[in-house]
Amino acid sequence: MLLYIVAAVVGALPLVVVAAGYAALPPGLEDRWRAAFILALARIIHITPYKIYELLGYGSYFDNILIVQREADKGMDAPPKSAACHTLKVGWEDLAGQRVLVYRPRDAADSEKLPCLVYMHGGGWCMHNPIFCDHFMHRVALMSRKVTISIHYRRAPQNPFPDAFHDCLDVTCHVLEHGETLGVDVTRVGVGGDSSGGNIAAAVAVHLREEKYQHLPPLKYQFLLHPMLQALNFRLPSHLDAGDFCPILDRYAEAGFWALYMGLGEGLTV
């Protein structure tokens, strides 16, 4: 009897999750049930606890953003999980006064100069850290055989714009200036990032075109994944067609993250 009950609960779990975290999906998605389940589960994990906090009088999601940061930063003193794979040299270093997570090919000779990606993680300028994208960075470094540097930049709301931008700019300039000691070919350096990190990477690339940086080698490329590049219009087709079903980053949440990054945002709700 117990086995039947367990089987019924397990079988009903996907329906329960989808019902609890349902959001209308845009047309054209393949495997809609799977997408609905994953997105609903993400909504329950990432949003529901803070909705409960709000109901209990502890403020909105944005009021509790520092709790999110503290949870994400647990274990930052330990080596990342990818270090256990022993396929790359992975470890924390300090560059230009910033803590960075560096991935290096193990088979690189001491005199070899490798291409380099300087990466800025996403998280609305408020959340996450290099550990969050460790698996992805490990795969990028392994498949492309390049030195990959993931920056633990300062985050809002404690450190609003332009602190994160300056942290990432300083690290990028340091890499371009010290390629010899870092084992980096400075003619093959690019910047990249996802979401808010893509915004910072794009800003760094634009800034390095200014005259005072012309003594540095030019960047080779930008590697931008769904970057947040504008905050003027939240009713563009991409926002209307696909933005409001996302577990975390619907239009209202995106506007809230922009506000925190710019040093605004008292009493934000999501």
Side-chain angles (χ1 to χ4, degrees):
M1 184 64 180
L2 180 60
L3 187 60
Y4 285 115
I5 295 175
V6 171
V9 170
V10 172
L13 182 60
L15 294 175
V16 172
V17 170
V18 171
Y22 174 78
L25 297 179
L29 282 181
E30 297 182 5
D31 201 349
R32 295 179 66 83
W33 272 106
R34 183 182 180 188
F37 177 76
I38 293 173
L39 290 171
L41 187 63
R43 184 181 295 275
I44 291 170
I45 292 172
H46 292 290
I47 296 298
T48 302
Y50 299 99
K51 288 293 185 182
I52 295 173
Y53 270 34
E54 188 172 357
L55 289 173
L56 293 175
Y58 290 102
S60 71
Y61 180 83
F62 288 108
D63 293 325
N64 291 287
I65 204 74
L66 298 183
I67 297 176
V68 182
Q69 283 187 12
R70 285 196 296 270
E71 289 299 313
D73 288 350
K74 288 181 178 178
M76 283 280 289
D77 295 330
K81 290 182 179 179
S82 66
C85 298
H86 302 295
T87 50
L88 297 169
K89 297 177 183 177
V90 183
W92 292 102
E93 298 182 19
D94 290 319
L95 293 182
Q98 302 303 319
R99 196 177 185 207
V100 298
L101 191 52
V102 182
Y103 304 77
R104 303 178 188 274
R106 284 190 174 274
D107 61 351
D110 292 340
S111 59
E112 186 176 6
K113 300 296 181 291
L114 296 173
C116 178
L117 168 65
V118 182
Y119 196 80
M120 300 110 198
H121 65 81
W125 302 283
C126 298
M127 302 184 298
H128 305 326
N129 53 55
I131 296 293
F132 180 77
C133 53
D134 172 52
H135 177 70
F136 177 58
M137 288 292 92
H138 185 271
R139 290 189 63 187
V140 168
L142 188 62
M143 295 175 68
S144 61
R145 199 174 181 274
K146 59 165 55 84
V147 176
T148 304
I149 299 172
S150 186
I151 307 173
H152 186 39
Y153 55 81
R154 288 173 292 173
R155 294 161 301 184
Q158 316 95 301
N159 299 285
F161 177 85
D163 289 350
F165 164 73
H166 282 309
D167 293 348
C168 296
L169 177 64
D170 290 347
V171 171
T172 305
C173 289
H174 183 89
V175 171
L176 292 171
E177 290 174 333
H178 300 89
E180 188 71 27
T181 57
L182 295 172
V184 167
D185 179 354
V186 295
T187 67
R188 294 188 291 167
V189 174
V191 292
D194 60 282
S195 191
S196 56
N199 167 278
I200 301 173
V204 168
V206 170
H207 203 69
L208 287 176
R209 294 177 62 87
E210 294 184 1
E211 185 175 351
K212 66 178 179 179
Y213 297 104
Q214 294 308 299
H215 66 286
L216 298 174
L219 293 174
K220 187 70 172 179
Y221 62 89
Q222 294 182 62
F223 176 49
L224 308 181
L225 305 176
H226 49 85
M228 295 171 67
L229 297 181
Q230 67 89 23
L232 300 176
N233 186 355
F234 293 102
R235 296 190 61 82
L236 295 174
S238 59
H239 291 89
L240 296 177
D241 295 343
D244 289 341
F245 76 91
C246 181
I248 299 176
L249 203 61
D250 57 24
R251 287 176 293 161
Y252 305 101
E254 184 179 353
F257 283 122
W258 275 104
L260 291 180
Y261 185 46
M262 300 306 295
L264 308 172
E266 284 291 329
L268 288 171
T269 58
V270 60

